[in-house]
Amino acid sequence: MAAAMTLRVRQTGRSWAQLRCLHVTLGLEKAKTGAEQQWLTRQQRDPYVKAAHAQNYRCRSAFKLLEIDKEHKILRPGQHVIDCGAAPGAWSQVLVDKVNALGQDPALSVGFVLGVDLLHITPLDGAVFLPKCDVTLPATHEKIRSLLPSGQADVILSDMAPNASGIRELDHQRLVSMCLSLLDFAEMVLRPGGSFLCKLWDGSESNSMRDRLRRRFQHVKTLKPKASRMESAEIFLLGKLHNNTKSLNL
């Protein structure tokens, strides 16, 4: 199936993320292969895809973040949050509401949401987007710091993923490398006491990533939200209570 979907990506010019996050309806173009038809059928039956459509979320992944926050309380009004791998914008939709970025509730502090992605991101009220930017590059780091109020963040989230090669261990290592790069950047902008959440495809380097998080956060947990498909290797690592003071000395 991976090969068939990779071919589909090449034919349409869409990314894997864009294909996974389509709100599938019966009006979609007819699949050209059996594997594609199987994928579309799964999407049509997926309750989270249906719920995303009903609740006007751009992608089913919104429910992963909603579930994580419900259980672990990482988001609150007034926070400044960086959403890495933000396209198509579903997590940012959740964030705008959770941190009161639009000032919907005048009795609460107003937060700030900054989304970053290599892909185009459709504008969203309450969020500032940096599309076509690589969050692992120093030039992007400077743009982020210039846009963040006071140059600091309370929460850094990552739903980033490299384009899938179909080689599971290679894709795993590439994603770990991206997360480690983001963790290094977190040392520059994440406030002490802040939180860091990143997606991984579980594999040989997962324990190494956990160890790195434990050096910098007081609490580290491995999460598998219900909205994450059971057959997927996808997990999320959460670090809470950032304990490095480097960001205070900038």
Side-chain angles (χ1 to χ4, degrees):
M1 181 175 179
M5 291 305 297
T6 298
L7 176 60
R8 184 64 175 158
V9 168
R10 292 172 181 165
Q11 290 173 333
T12 65
R14 294 170 176 158
S15 72
W16 277 84
Q18 288 171 318
L19 283 170
R20 285 197 300 267
C21 291
L22 285 172
H23 292 319
V24 179
T25 67
L26 294 177
L28 283 175
E29 61 179 310
K30 185 178 180 181
K32 295 182 179 180
T33 70
E36 287 178 310
Q37 185 60 58
Q38 183 181 18
W39 180 83
L40 289 174
T41 299
R42 183 186 69 175
Q43 290 293 93
Q44 290 168 344
R45 294 175 178 174
D46 189 318
Y48 292 103
V49 172
K50 294 178 181 178
H53 182 71
Q55 298 180 41
N56 294 316
Y57 285 121
R58 297 181 180 183
C59 181
R60 71 186 299 283
S61 66
F63 297 100
K64 301 174 188 178
L65 181 57
L66 286 166
E67 181 181 340
I68 290 170
D69 183 58
K70 182 178 180 180
E71 183 171 353
H72 299 282
K73 312 297 183 188
I74 60 175
L75 302 171
R76 63 179 182 273
Q79 287 179 324
H80 302 161
V81 185
I82 305 173
D83 179 10
C84 301
W91 277 25
S92 291
Q93 287 179 290
V94 173
L95 294 171
V96 166
D97 178 61
K98 291 290 185 178
V99 307
N100 196 38
L102 284 171
Q104 310 96 306
D105 190 335
L108 300 175
S109 298
V110 177
F112 179 81
V113 177
L114 177 59
V116 187
D117 204 293
L118 280 170
L119 302 173
H120 169 76
I121 317 172
T122 302
L124 173 69
D125 287 344
V128 175
F129 288 145
L130 284 175
K132 301 181 181 180
C133 286
D134 186 341
V135 77
T136 66
L137 297 180
T140 303
H141 297 170
E142 290 304 312
K143 290 180 182 179
I144 291 172
R145 291 173 64 181
S146 69
L147 289 169
L148 280 172
S150 76
Q152 294 185 308
D154 300 290
V155 182
I156 296 177
L157 307 175
S158 172
D159 197 28
M160 297 187 298
N163 288 330
S165 69
I167 304 173
R168 179 169 177 170
E169 185 60 21
L170 174 61
D171 293 336
H172 161 71
Q173 292 176 359
R174 290 169 63 195
L175 183 50
V176 169
S177 178
M178 292 167 68
C179 290
L180 288 173
S181 175
L182 186 60
L183 186 57
D184 288 339
F185 176 56
E187 292 300 288
M188 306 300 292
V189 297
L190 188 61
R191 295 182 188 276
S195 299
F196 181 95
L197 176 70
C198 65
K199 176 174 72 179
L200 280 188
W201 293 322
D202 203 9
S204 61
E205 301 297 321
S206 297
N207 285 336
S208 175
M209 184 68 198
R210 290 186 188 92
D211 289 341
R212 289 285 295 273
L213 283 168
R214 290 188 182 107
R215 295 174 199 166
R216 305 182 186 190
F217 295 86
Q218 293 184 31
H219 303 290
V220 176
K221 293 186 177 183
T222 302
L223 312 175
K224 180 77 171 180
K226 293 178 181 177
S228 182
R229 293 188 175 97
M230 291 303 298
E231 67 272 18
S232 170
E234 177 184 81
I235 59 173
F236 291 86
L237 299 184
L238 172 62
K240 295 181 71 176
L241 295 178
H242 185 232
N243 55 26
N244 194 294
T245 60
K246 187 174 181 180
S247 62
L248 290 180
N249 299 321
L250 294 176

